[in-house]
Amino acid sequence: MSRIKLGMVGGGNDAFIGAVHRIASRIDDRFELVAGALSSTPEKSQASGEALGLPRIYDDFKQMAQREARRKDGIDAVSIVTPNHVHYAAAREFLKRGIHVICDKPLTSTLADAKKLVKAAEDSNALFILTHNYTGYPMVRQAREMIANGDIGAIRVVQVEYPQDWLTVEQDFKQAEWRTDPARSGAGGSTGDIGTHAFNLACFVTGLEVESLAADLTAFVPERQVDDNGHVMLRFEGGAKGMLWCSQVAPGNENALRIRVYGDKGGLEWAQEDPNYLWHTPFGEPKRLITRNGAGAGDAAARVSRIPPGHPEGYLEGFANIYTEAADAIMATKAGKGVPADVLYPTVHDGLKGVQFVSACVKSSARNAAWVKLDH
């Protein structure tokens, strides 16, 4: 199978997430990185591109989109791994030229841009894939399948949290700097950076939509302009209730994303830092441990697992699953076929819901945690 020619916007030498995307795109050998506009200045972009050995290096994303679209051997897809405020403008340039877009989350820094990006994606013949990478974990897929099959009955309660501690004090390195700058990150701090992951996971696993929320957001670090902690109550369509906690000022927590879902027949629990295990508790019975590729794991988990049980798969493999799903979708599109039914990835519409979540949280918190409907 020929590799998909990939370009990258952002993700230069000192960017963590760019390296993650490059590794994820290579794990299943489905992509070849051939072009990039890797930084905010031509000089930095050139240096980063040379370090990676890229055959084509551009000054900026607009130049890259224009020139690659004109080439017979131009890129098929582009990864956008910039700070949030660049996502819309960069994605638009490639979408309008029919180049598939794989974009880091959140979708955009503002709700207005998110809505415009949805329109750009709908008007394009190119695919848009959003890298909410936790949806690629096998045991997350297992939980989703079990809930859809009715294994825990009608959902009543959803508890999801994502605490970290790396912003407990003021930080001045690049990754902290842009994430705490509302001009680049958007109005949400922890809500935009990791709260959107928790929100997306809750909706992905349960299949439910959030109808309204009440949020209490705080910036605990003095002079910080965006929230670093959020407590959010959720009301789902259909009557289920939920709570979401996101924090980047919780000492002792690294990347402690966790979800618990309770129905009238049982409960499920999964933790990102122990991702190969899913706990299932039928009501009135002992807890059962389901392991990745182990006894009791179903087809949904198996199709995104690579190795036998007991050999851990984690963050990079889960991220790679999103790239492999994207590759399957892109190849099907190139062949003039529809995206296969079993191919599953977050879309531009999922991204819009994430930005709507952040916007509603900010609005609710400004109103003393009043209940706010999501702007559907």
Side-chain angles (χ1 to χ4, degrees):
M1 185 180 295
S2 61
R3 295 186 187 92
I4 294 165
K5 295 184 290 297
L6 182 68
M8 181 167 281
V9 176
N13 287 336
D14 55 352
F16 158 74
I17 202 64
V20 170
H21 278 257
R22 290 190 288 271
I23 294 168
S25 71
R26 294 198 303 267
I27 282 180
D28 291 325
D29 202 27
R30 301 293 300 279
F31 293 87
E32 180 183 7
L33 185 63
V34 297
L38 301 172
S39 193
S40 56
T41 69
E43 296 76 18
K44 289 182 179 178
S45 182
Q46 187 69 32
S48 294
E50 289 174 357
L52 291 171
L54 293 188
R56 301 191 293 276
I57 307 166
Y58 296 96
D59 290 348
D60 56 59
F61 62 77
K62 190 167 186 177
Q63 181 191 73
M64 177 178 164
Q66 292 170 342
R67 294 187 183 179
E68 288 294 316
R70 291 199 294 262
R71 295 179 65 101
K72 288 185 178 180
D73 62 346
I75 58 173
D76 303 298
V78 63
S79 293
I80 297 174
V81 294
T82 64
N84 307 340
H85 70 297
V86 181
H87 290 181
Y88 165 63
R92 180 189 59 193
E93 290 296 326
F94 292 93
L95 286 171
K96 70 184 183 182
R97 293 174 173 85
I99 296 170
H100 305 292
V101 172
I102 302 169
C103 185
D104 205 44
K105 48 54 59 187
L107 183 66
T108 57
S109 60
T110 70
L111 185 54
D113 279 353
K115 291 177 178 179
K116 288 188 288 186
L117 188 47
V118 168
K119 179 70 164 55
E122 290 175 342
D123 289 345
S124 174
N125 59 359
L127 299 172
F128 189 100
I129 296 95
L130 190 71
T131 55
H132 272 300
N133 55 297
Y134 301 110
T135 65
Y137 282 57
M139 302 317 287
V140 167
R141 300 286 180 98
Q142 174 73 22
R144 176 186 168 97
E145 182 179 54
M146 292 176 68
I147 289 173
N149 289 341
D151 289 1
I152 65 169
I155 296 173
R156 292 172 168 172
V157 177
V158 182
Q159 305 277 104
V160 63
E161 62 186 51
Y162 197 157
Q164 300 173 331
D165 66 2
W166 69 292
L167 292 178
T168 295
V169 297
E170 191 62 56
Q171 304 282 4
D172 60 3
F173 59 94
K174 179 179 178 179
Q175 299 305 316
E177 183 190 7
W178 76 257
R179 282 177 170 84
T180 55
D181 175 8
R184 289 177 285 175
S185 69
S190 66
T191 47
D193 193 25
I194 55 177
T196 49
H197 270 314
F199 173 81
N200 174 263
L201 184 66
C203 297
F204 179 82
V205 167
T206 65
L208 301 177
E209 299 283 349
V210 171
E211 186 177 71
S212 58
L213 58 79
D216 183 15
L217 309 184
T218 307
F220 281 107
V221 174
E223 308 303 321
R224 184 165 286 165
Q225 299 180 67
V226 293
D227 64 86
D228 48 33
N229 189 89
H231 296 104
V232 188
M233 291 192 295
L234 307 170
R235 290 174 178 166
F236 292 90
E237 293 177 356
K241 301 297 178 66
M243 288 198 298
L244 182 153
W245 173 44
C246 57
S247 182
Q248 292 174 313
V249 293
N253 289 283
E254 295 171 335
N255 279 283
L257 175 62
R258 180 185 298 268
I259 186 168
R260 297 180 290 274
V261 185
Y262 303 105
D264 58 7
K265 295 181 181 178
L268 291 171
E269 182 174 351
W270 178 82
Q272 193 274 150
E273 292 182 337
D274 208 0
N276 292 272
Y277 302 126
L278 176 68
W279 287 101
H280 174 213
T281 308
F283 176 65
E285 299 181 25
K287 293 179 74 170
R288 301 171 181 176
L289 179 63
I290 303 172
T291 62
R292 187 195 54 76
N293 262 350
D299 293 340
R303 70 173 292 275
V304 291
S305 296
R306 294 171 181 78
I307 52 180
H311 299 293
E313 290 188 8
Y315 181 78
L316 292 173
E317 292 88 351
F319 219 117
N321 284 334
I322 303 300
Y323 266 88
T324 299
E325 300 280 48
D328 288 341
I330 290 168
M331 294 306 291
T333 301
K334 287 182 72 172
K337 304 174 183 177
V339 176
D342 60 348
V343 169
L344 191 59
Y345 56 80
T347 68
V348 70
H349 296 284
D350 296 309
L352 173 60
K353 291 172 187 175
V355 181
Q356 289 168 335
F357 162 77
V358 175
S359 177
C361 285
V362 172
K363 186 184 299 183
S364 170
S365 190
R367 298 177 183 174
N368 197 28
W371 284 97
V372 171
K373 287 188 176 294
L374 266 68
D375 178 13
H376 293 304

